[in-house]
Amino acid sequence: MFSWLGTDDRRRKDPEVFQTVSEGLKKLYKSKLLPLEEHYRFHEFHSPALEDADFDNKPMVLLVGQYSTGKTTFIRYLLEQDFPGMRIGPEPTTDSFIAVMQGNVEGIIPGNALVVDPKKPFRKLNAFGNAFLNRFVCAQLPNPVLESISVIDTPGILSGEKQRISRGYDFAAVLEWFAERVDRIILLFDAHKLDISDEFSEVIKALKNHEDKMRVVLNKADQIETQQLMRVYGALMWSLGKIVNTPEVIRVYIGSFWSHPLLIPDNRKLFEAEEQDLFRDIQSLPRNAALRKLNDLIKRARLAKVHAYIISSLKKEMPSVFGKDNKKKELVANLAEVYGRIEREHQISPGDFPNLKRMQDQLQAQDFSKFQPLKSKLLEVVDDMLAHDIAQLMVLVRQEEAQRPVQMVKGGAFEGTLHGPFGHGYGEGAGEGIDDTEWVVARDKPMYDEIFYTLSPVDGKITGANAKKEMVRSKLPNSVLGKIWKLADIDKDGMLDDEEFALANHLIKVKLEGHELPSELPAHLLPPSKRKVAE
């Protein structure tokens, strides 16, 4: 149990006691941020109020992409089993949002039933109406992967004439709603069709402010040659650069995410390395879930504060009796000036303000006379939360992480590359010769021995200074050579015998070939004469 007492007695009479980060976030939101949101009608402009399920739910991964880019197949690949409602085909097959979640029994929960379930984080989706709810289902099934994460499959984004067909609900707004609440957004692209349609471009722009959650997968990359793949990758980066306005380059994973044989196996090692990187990223989600929720609450609090300043400023400008309509039109048209004034008065970063055009559109339908004036006390409470309570919750996050076992996504495709000879890097680099009966370094030892005996060994050993003269020829930095020395000097006597010298040279070769050095020397690399010493 964790507790803390505020330093300011007026702030808090009794210490706040939080069992978990999740409980702390819920209490802070309801007692400190929600009153500000309700007073300034934040929920009508930006995002519905948060509920307990939003803080308690498992990390979610949102898959977004044009039709036939392999979104549903990607989920099947991760789970290694079919899920209810799954349809795969080259044409637009997934016409619904499908939340794939853990359940004791396989089945489908339709959207209207889903949004009344208080244990699911989807209750606020009822605002999008029946047109959307008829296209929203939850597929439940028992699966080890889903014990740690949930996955949201989305309808394929249309292109050409197809995108003119109305979906009956605001597709981009629904994706934005999910983007706020998920832990990872994966954009899937097909290596054969990189054109970003108008609808897809709109969707990516709707995901603005969530670039930190976005990852890109270039799928079906096994179907093209290496030279073409380089061109496709370059073209994709160019296209994304025009839409995703961030100074850093978005991370793109290249591979073929299905369980069929690779059509062109030339880039197998690249695909394996990329898959491992992506899997590590997804596996880290449960471990970082509490921190992500904390981060999202801070972002929400900052937006709510700015919203309060905007609404109260508009209220202040309104005349009390005559000319309200004309003044409203003038204020909406000059909203950029209002933003600038608030920015200067309250020292707020321009990046904290909501989208200007969208805010203007929303204000057109509002009655400004019902807006509330500035209430400093509500803002002070939120400032207090950001200054004190959030800092204390950060400490609690670290304490929870230290007490819990390491949380990782397990099962499905995540298990396939963990064990046995098909693990990433098995038999390569420092792992070379892991299954051989002979010491793998012995293959090149005669060559290393020739060098060893030119370095003036005394009693069968060379000094560190003499070893250094030879080892620096590799041009590796001292930090790397120092690590190699530490691994090779098995008896820790500050000198190297012929076997230790051969081992050092073997590790230099491993590093020069582009592999990572192990943190500890693997058992198969121990020289035969040193194995008893090490034991």
Side-chain angles (χ1 to χ4, degrees):
M1 186 189 294
F2 304 94
S3 65
W4 61 79
L5 178 61
T7 52
D8 185 349
D9 292 332
R10 291 173 300 172
R11 241 176 22 103
R12 209 177 275 135
K13 290 180 183 176
D14 299 308
E16 290 273 12
V17 179
F18 296 140
Q19 302 286 351
T20 62
V21 173
S22 178
E23 184 200 327
L25 289 170
K26 277 186 258 184
K27 281 189 178 177
L28 289 179
Y29 175 70
K30 286 175 185 172
S31 64
K32 300 202 168 186
L33 184 54
L34 186 58
L36 179 76
E37 291 183 353
E38 288 175 338
H39 193 69
Y40 294 104
R41 298 159 72 175
F42 178 85
H43 309 137
E44 294 175 33
F45 287 85
H46 302 289
S47 174
L50 299 177
E51 298 191 332
D52 287 357
D54 290 308
F55 297 103
D56 295 332
N57 68 305
K58 293 170 189 167
M60 292 193 288
V61 177
L62 177 70
L63 296 181
V64 181
Q66 297 183 179
Y67 71 92
S68 189
T69 50
K71 296 185 299 298
T72 308
T73 307
F74 181 83
I75 299 173
R76 204 215 164 281
Y77 181 72
L78 292 185
L79 303 184
E80 290 189 343
Q81 74 176 95
D82 293 348
F83 57 88
M86 184 184 89
R87 288 172 63 216
I88 295 172
E91 76 285 3
T93 46
T94 304
D95 63 346
S96 301
F97 282 80
I98 303 176
V100 187
M101 306 181 87
Q102 175 71 9
N104 295 327
V105 182
E106 273 198 33
I108 286 181
I109 305 171
N112 282 291
L114 199 54
V115 294
V116 295
D117 185 350
K119 291 182 181 175
K120 297 277 194 298
F122 306 123
R123 279 161 62 96
K124 298 296 182 180
L125 280 168
N126 59 11
F128 293 102
N130 271 335
F132 166 70
L133 295 179
N134 292 335
R135 291 277 177 268
F136 179 44
V137 296
C138 175
Q140 289 193 315
L141 68 156
N143 185 284
V145 173
L146 299 176
E147 289 172 10
S148 307
I149 58 171
S150 302
V151 188
I152 313 292
D153 193 9
T154 61
I157 292 167
L158 304 173
S159 59
E161 282 298 311
K162 299 183 193 77
Q163 69 189 18
R164 298 178 193 276
I165 302 163
S166 172
R167 294 182 186 270
Y169 60 90
D170 191 338
F171 182 65
V174 172
L175 281 176
E176 191 176 354
W177 187 95
F178 276 110
E180 275 185 35
R181 288 157 178 80
V182 300
D183 296 70
R184 188 66 75 237
I185 302 164
I186 297 180
L187 301 177
L188 273 101
F189 287 87
D190 183 334
H192 286 94
K193 49 175 190 185
L194 289 184
D195 61 308
I196 298 179
S197 67
D198 293 346
E199 189 177 34
F200 199 6
S201 180
E202 222 178 283
V203 162
I204 295 173
K205 284 172 183 168
L207 301 178
K208 190 175 162 49
N209 301 327
H210 303 289
E211 285 95 347
D212 57 320
K213 299 178 182 179
M214 281 166 62
R215 303 289 185 272
V216 174
V217 169
L218 180 59
N219 201 12
K220 306 184 184 180
D222 66 316
Q223 298 174 19
I224 52 178
E225 302 279 354
T226 305
Q227 189 178 13
Q228 286 178 302
L229 182 58
M230 288 175 66
R231 289 179 180 150
V232 166
Y233 178 79
L236 175 60
M237 297 304 290
W238 182 80
S239 300
L240 286 171
K242 292 201 299 181
I243 299 169
V244 183
N245 295 317
T246 54
E248 67 276 5
V249 177
I250 196 164
R251 176 66 164 99
V252 177
Y253 299 92
I254 303 169
S256 180
F257 294 91
W258 66 343
S259 51
H260 293 253
L262 299 175
L263 289 179
I264 300 172
D266 300 3
N267 298 307
R268 183 187 191 103
K269 284 184 74 172
L270 169 68
F271 298 158
E272 284 174 2
E274 292 285 282
E275 183 184 271
Q276 285 300 313
D277 283 357
L278 179 60
F279 280 6
R280 271 195 293 271
D281 187 65
I282 295 172
Q283 284 182 304
S284 70
L285 295 180
R287 192 171 66 247
N288 300 324
L291 206 54
R292 195 274 303 168
K293 286 170 185 167
L294 191 64
N295 184 54
D296 283 357
L297 188 71
I298 296 167
K299 271 163 67 174
R300 189 182 178 99
R302 290 166 72 95
L303 179 59
K305 274 182 62 187
V306 172
H307 178 76
Y309 285 129
I310 293 168
I311 296 300
S312 59
S313 183
L314 294 173
K315 171 70 176 177
K316 189 178 174 184
E317 297 288 332
M318 286 297 285
S320 53
V321 186
F322 300 111
K324 289 184 180 180
D325 287 346
N326 288 336
K327 188 63 178 175
K328 175 183 168 180
K329 285 176 188 172
E330 183 190 322
L331 286 169
V332 171
N334 299 325
L335 190 61
E337 292 175 19
V338 177
Y339 276 19
R341 190 166 61 251
I342 293 168
E343 188 185 323
R344 289 189 299 275
E345 281 178 21
H346 301 284
Q347 286 81 51
I348 294 169
S349 165
D352 286 352
F353 284 83
N355 179 274
L356 180 67
K357 177 73 173 70
R358 186 171 164 187
M359 193 69 178
Q360 286 174 320
D361 293 342
Q362 288 171 322
L363 286 169
Q364 301 281 6
Q366 295 289 336
D367 182 356
F368 283 24
S369 63
K370 291 182 180 175
F371 286 173
Q372 298 293 332
L374 194 65
K375 196 171 180 182
S376 300
K377 194 172 180 184
L378 286 172
L379 287 158
E380 283 168 14
V381 168
V382 174
D383 284 334
D384 176 73
M385 178 187 88
L386 292 170
H388 300 99
D389 299 308
I390 294 293
Q392 297 287 4
L393 271 183
M394 283 291 292
V395 175
L396 184 51
V397 167
R398 298 297 175 216
Q399 288 172 330
E400 272 193 6
E401 282 178 357
Q403 289 180 350
R404 279 193 198 141
V406 177
Q407 290 180 293
M408 295 276 279
V409 181
K410 294 178 181 174
F414 297 99
E415 293 293 309
T417 55
L418 288 181
H419 309 293
F422 298 97
H424 181 59
Y426 189 95
E428 301 169 8
E432 185 186 355
I434 192 168
D435 295 325
D436 294 356
T437 51
E438 295 293 319
W439 188 39
V440 66
V441 182
R443 297 174 195 166
D444 298 317
K445 191 169 181 294
M447 179 176 66
Y448 300 141
D449 283 349
E450 282 183 27
I451 301 167
F452 178 79
Y453 288 110
T454 65
L455 298 174
S456 311
V458 177
D459 296 331
K461 294 192 174 190
I462 57 171
T463 62
N466 284 346
K468 181 181 176 181
K469 287 176 193 172
E470 178 59 33
M471 290 171 72
V472 293
R473 290 175 186 268
S474 66
K475 299 183 182 176
L476 288 170
N478 283 354
S479 57
V480 174
L481 292 174
K483 186 174 181 182
I484 289 171
W485 175 274
K486 190 178 175 184
L487 291 169
D489 184 14
I490 292 157
D491 49 20
K492 310 298 177 203
D493 62 353
M495 304 177 83
L496 300 182
D497 64 18
D498 61 322
E499 286 185 331
E500 289 173 328
F501 180 75
L503 174 60
N505 278 280
H506 179 77
L507 292 171
I508 287 170
K509 184 179 122 190
V510 164
K511 189 64 185 172
L512 290 174
E513 287 174 351
H515 302 285
E516 289 303 314
L517 293 171
S519 52
E520 290 181 14
L521 193 69
H524 72 280
L525 286 184
L526 275 170
S529 66
K530 298 284 190 299
R531 287 179 187 176
K532 287 180 182 175
V533 175
E535 288 167 12

